[in-house]
Amino acid sequence: MYVAVKGGERAIDNAHTWLAEERRGDISVEELSIAQIREQLALAVARVMAEGSLFDPDLAALAIKQARGDMIEAVFLIRAFRTTLPRFGASEPIDTGAMTCDRRISATFKDVPGGQVLGPTFDYTHRLIDFTLAATGELPPEAQAGEPRTEPTPHVTEFLDREGLIQTEEDDTKTPRDLTREPLDFPADRPLRLQAIARGDEGFILSMAYSTQRGYGRNHPFVGELRVGQVAIEMDIPELGFAIDIGEVTITECETVNQFMGSKSEPPQFTRGYGLVFGHCERKAISMALVDRALRWEELGEDNVGAPAQDVEFVLSHADNVQATGFLEHIKLPHYVDFQSELELIRKLRAEAETAKAEEDASPFQEAAE
Amino acid sequence: MTAQAAAAMDDYNFAYLDEQTKRMIRRAILKGLAVPGYQVPFASREMPMPYGWGTGGVQVSAAVMTPDDTIKVIDQGADDTTNAVSIRKFFERTADIDVTERTSEATIIQTRHRIPEELLNEDQILVYQVPIPEPMRFIEPRETETRKMHALEEYGLMHVRLYENIAKHGAITTAYAYPVKVEDRYVMDPSPIPKFDNPKLESEAIQIFGAGREQRIYAVPPYTKVVSLDFDDYPFDPSKANHPCALCGSVTSYLDEVIVDDKGGRMFVCSDTDYCASRIRRQEQAA
């Protein structure tokens, strides 16, 4: 009976076997392949790659399968794998201006060089359950392909930049700190903040961004531009003496244009928020841009109104869902010992309180006399 | 372990972490030992078990481990609690080292929430799993502030908190993770061990504390002065349940309370399972 309270090696093994069985589900139903997940649950794959900080669609699909569709668990699997990988070096900064855009929209201009490209989006779909998807076998009609743009698509903010209407971002050429190789340290500069938000939980970043829209650190965002597409990764190979293409990744980039009234040293101009994530993750990229902008209050000489989204330490310390879920769920672990010490204490305090009360009740006149 | 699992682990280094990472952790440990009680930031890695489940302790153990070591893992004082079993298995699998449940046989003891009853010696390392390394975190949530407070040795707030306890409840109401001052300098969180264990923080063994999620390592070298915070008129009281162990009869060990029926029946047994089992063994031999 006493031993039963404690866990056991056999219990763990059995639990894991059962879990594997549950993961597979009814064996009369065909098993999911990695390719099916990669191709048909592509947005789930994108989210796992973004928050797992590793671009590998097949591995992300496998993680989703192994995690039974639990996204944070899948992100965790990817992170734990990623941390064991050796590092050969760093790629060149990606040039998002040169990316092949599947989708590219601006909410600030009706038309822009490079055009508005709606691309594959849920926007403007009616959210009606499509029961034909439940019936099998029917292929969707083929989408009409336009001529793909071969020339680079300029960023919308460049047009504002040319007029001096938007704040210029300076490249300080410093190598940014690496969140995965150095402990998080405050104050955190913008590259570090962006790294943390980019791998932060989509739901958390979304809620933080939403809170700024509702007035907790409002910063009037316009989606200057949102683009989704493929961008080449180049890496400098020392033996060759120049950079070569080593592959391409799908990314989503968002630049917001935000109001700014100007300060003593700066004339009124627009400011920017920036979001960049692996895969097709529009919600995350836009949220990231809003949160980035909110965290810039100090640098832009704005008031800190005490909003959560303005608090760097609060946002960065709580954005990571692998950390958060681990610590949250650890309270499932046994805490007999701590709880026992609290039990002892509360019994002792109650006993003392009862004794004190009994003494008080026994001498009702004394108090009146005093 | 299945053959497949064994093959998969061949892809990993001894004790899972790569040597570069171990060096980074060892540097943090050495710094921690050089500045007792000071929280050294370190670039904690994602481990294959969740944050909050001992990743800090596991990283420290992996960094100090050699193939000749023998490890013991306890959780709540017991070797057979689920998470202790899981971590012990992890090291068996990734480092292929000897494991033991006997406190005296272990060279590394990784623990969560307890210090073994049996006194440790100079050949042993006690590795603690730490959830929140900052003793003042629940008074001041900001790390930037608490680091400043440590730097300036500004611990007034901590004493005010303890004083408020006494004013409100007539006693210091911290029963576990009871703050200590190390070598007259840093106030330190001893991890959520019951305050009963605090006197054992002055030890012959090396004690290293690892907080993975919070990215901190700190240490108490052997023979270091460790004082539990208190007041002259309210001295520190390492209390425990006032019962003997129902299994081995010990009156000095820390006890877990076990509910045995739904009519309020309960029994008290040693939380340190090895201590309890050794006593029972000795009693049986004597009989």
Side-chain angles (χ1 to χ4, degrees):
Chain A
M1 164 270 323
Y2 164 57
V3 174
V5 185
K6 313 272 182 177
E9 207 147 345
R10 215 166 30 146
I12 295 181
D13 286 342
N14 286 341
H16 291 173
T17 314
W18 194 355
L19 175 70
E21 199 179 299
E22 288 285 302
R23 182 191 57 68
R24 178 60 183 87
D26 184 348
I27 51 166
S28 67
V29 176
E30 215 172 316
E31 187 174 355
L32 266 178
S33 73
I34 301 306
Q36 282 171 342
I37 297 171
R38 186 192 63 224
E39 296 302 317
Q40 296 175 36
L41 296 178
L43 299 186
V45 168
R47 183 173 172 192
V48 169
M49 293 193 301
E51 291 168 28
S53 302
L54 184 72
F55 193 92
D56 187 332
D58 283 310
L59 203 64
L62 174 58
I64 291 168
K65 177 173 171 165
Q66 187 181 333
R68 308 175 63 198
D70 179 333
M71 298 299 277
I72 296 181
E73 185 67 27
V75 169
F76 182 18
L77 288 169
I78 292 296
R79 290 266 195 95
F81 175 75
R82 176 195 197 273
T83 197
T84 65
L85 298 176
R87 300 195 163 200
F88 303 117
S91 67
E92 297 291 304
I94 54 171
D95 178 7
T96 55
M99 73 193 261
T100 327
C101 296
D102 295 334
R103 170 160 162 78
R104 188 269 192 142
I105 53 164
S106 168
T108 49
F109 295 100
K110 190 165 184 186
D111 200 5
V112 278
Q116 302 263 19
V117 181
L118 204 49
T121 173
F122 289 123
D123 299 351
Y124 319 111
T125 61
H126 292 148
R127 269 63 167 202
L128 302 169
I129 294 274
D130 182 358
F131 292 101
T132 58
L133 289 177
T136 48
E138 201 167 320
L139 283 175
E142 201 171 318
Q144 282 201 325
E147 278 298 302
R149 265 176 73 88
T150 45
E151 65 273 31
T153 308
H155 281 106
V156 171
T157 47
E158 281 171 25
F159 309 123
L160 293 168
D161 208 5
R162 224 167 285 161
E163 275 186 80
L165 294 178
I166 194 161
Q167 178 217 14
T168 328
E169 301 295 347
E170 304 292 346
D171 180 4
D172 66 5
T173 67
K174 277 195 295 189
T175 305
R177 287 190 276 169
D178 183 345
L179 193 64
T180 65
R181 284 294 178 270
E182 290 170 43
L184 178 62
D185 188 18
F186 299 105
D189 59 7
R190 196 168 173 218
L192 196 68
R193 299 198 304 251
L194 289 169
Q195 271 177 60
I197 305 169
R199 67 193 331 235
D201 181 75
E202 181 174 312
F204 178 82
I205 305 298
L206 167 67
S207 292
M208 280 291 128
Y210 178 48
S211 73
T212 68
Q213 288 186 290
R214 288 196 64 261
Y216 290 84
R218 186 161 165 76
N219 56 38
H220 291 271
F222 294 101
V223 173
E225 176 166 353
L226 177 74
R227 52 170 73 193
V228 184
Q230 288 74 42
V231 65
I233 301 287
E234 291 184 350
M235 192 165 161
D236 194 45
I237 307 293
E239 288 84 348
L240 296 176
F242 53 86
I244 56 163
D245 264 19
I246 54 167
E248 63 172 28
V249 295
T250 303
I251 54 162
T252 307
E253 183 188 48
C254 175
E255 271 194 291
T256 56
V257 176
N258 303 67
Q259 275 181 3
F260 174 51
M261 301 317 287
S263 66
K264 276 179 201 139
S265 55
E266 298 286 332
Q269 60 180 350
F270 292 115
T271 55
R272 319 174 197 226
Y274 187 72
L276 181 77
V277 277
F278 275 152
H280 189 170
C281 288
E282 298 181 20
R283 182 185 302 122
K284 173 73 176 284
I286 302 168
S287 302
M288 181 175 170
L290 263 62
V291 175
D292 169 48
R293 179 58 185 79
L295 291 174
R296 299 181 70 189
W297 64 271
E298 199 164 11
E299 153 202 358
L300 298 172
E302 294 172 336
D303 289 336
N304 182 344
V305 297
Q310 288 180 311
D311 188 329
V312 178
E313 205 173 325
F314 180 81
V315 174
L316 264 53
S317 300
H318 303 110
D320 193 300
N321 54 21
V322 178
Q323 290 179 352
T325 203
F327 196 54
L328 180 106
E329 296 197 43
H330 106 280
I331 61 175
K332 291 182 288 188
L333 287 177
H335 284 78
Y336 327 131
V337 165
D338 326 4
F339 186 68
Q340 186 63 40
S341 58
E342 297 259 275
L343 260 181
E344 301 299 335
L345 185 70
I346 202 160
R347 281 184 185 136
K348 196 174 139 204
L349 291 178
R350 283 175 64 90
E352 280 167 10
E354 272 161 30
T355 318
K357 193 170 179 297
E359 278 169 13
E360 205 175 286
D361 291 347
S363 54
F365 300 109
Q366 193 180 350
E367 200 177 349
E370 281 167 2
Chain B
M1 181 170 42
T2 63
Q4 196 185 357
M9 294 315 291
D10 285 347
D11 298 338
Y12 294 99
N13 193 28
F14 172 76
Y16 183 77
L17 294 173
D18 59 281
E19 292 304 316
Q20 286 298 320
T21 299
K22 286 187 196 170
R23 284 175 62 179
M24 176 273 292
I25 296 171
R26 286 174 196 148
R27 278 196 291 270
I29 292 171
L30 289 174
K31 184 167 180 182
L33 285 165
V35 193
Y38 170 73
Q39 298 168 50
V40 185
F42 82 111
S44 174
R45 299 288 190 257
E46 276 100 352
M47 296 301 285
M49 63 269 291
Y51 286 115
W53 297 55
T55 56
V58 169
Q59 288 179 79
V60 168
S61 292
V64 300
M65 189 173 286
T66 71
D68 299 329
D69 273 308
T70 302
I71 194 167
K72 168 183 165 82
V73 184
I74 51 172
D75 186 342
Q76 315 292 304
D79 297 274
D80 60 350
T81 34
T82 38
N83 206 42
V85 170
S86 161
I87 291 172
R88 188 166 56 239
K89 263 185 157 175
F90 175 76
F91 284 121
E92 275 185 294
R93 191 169 161 187
T94 59
D96 193 27
I97 64 162
D98 291 336
V99 298
T100 182
E101 295 194 356
R102 302 271 178 98
T103 301
S104 56
E105 285 173 7
T107 53
I108 301 170
I109 301 172
Q110 182 169 327
T111 180
R112 177 169 170 263
H113 294 190
R114 274 310 311 272
I115 299 176
E117 301 289 349
E118 195 176 329
L119 291 182
L120 304 181
N121 60 50
E122 287 181 359
D123 298 324
Q124 295 179 304
I125 300 176
L126 183 60
V127 179
Y128 294 76
Q129 300 171 201
V130 181
I132 305 270
E134 178 47 63
M136 295 178 287
R137 180 58 69 241
F138 302 110
I139 310 173
E140 170 52 63
R142 275 171 204 283
E143 179 67 8
T144 39
E145 287 301 316
T146 50
R147 281 191 84 76
K148 222 179 286 167
M149 288 156 76
H150 282 294
L152 300 172
E153 215 177 330
E154 210 178 271
Y155 296 127
L157 215 53
M158 200 79 205
H159 280 101
V160 170
R161 168 58 63 94
L162 297 179
Y163 168 75
E164 282 175 354
N165 272 184
I166 294 169
K168 218 186 253 175
H169 305 288
I172 293 172
T173 51
T174 301
Y176 60 91
Y178 192 102
V180 295
K181 197 164 200 182
V182 182
E183 207 60 34
D184 298 320
R185 178 56 181 86
Y186 285 99
V187 166
M188 184 189 92
D189 182 312
S191 88
I193 55 173
K195 63 180 178 175
F196 171 82
D197 280 342
N198 273 23
K200 288 195 292 269
L201 288 162
E202 285 190 348
S203 172
E204 288 178 20
I206 293 177
Q207 299 173 82
I208 311 171
F209 299 76
R213 190 179 40 80
E214 298 280 341
Q215 309 183 314
R216 296 290 183 272
I217 282 172
Y218 51 103
V220 175
Y223 306 104
T224 300
K225 181 177 168 191
V226 181
V227 178
S228 302
L229 300 185
D230 63 358
F231 298 100
D232 290 344
D233 49 348
Y234 281 87
F236 172 71
D237 168 30
S239 63
K240 66 166 205 91
N242 193 16
H243 297 269
C245 170
L247 300 177
C248 77
S250 170
V251 289
T252 54
S253 75
Y254 191 76
L255 304 172
D256 277 346
E257 181 172 334
V258 183
I259 298 172
V260 291
D261 56 36
D262 55 4
K263 300 180 194 71
R266 53 176 175 245
M267 66 193 272
F268 290 86
V269 291
C270 291
S271 100
D272 185 334
T273 46
D274 173 58
Y275 175 79
C276 196
S278 321
R279 277 178 56 87
I280 293 170
R281 260 197 313 273
R282 273 200 301 274
Q283 286 161 9
E284 280 168 356
Q285 276 162 12

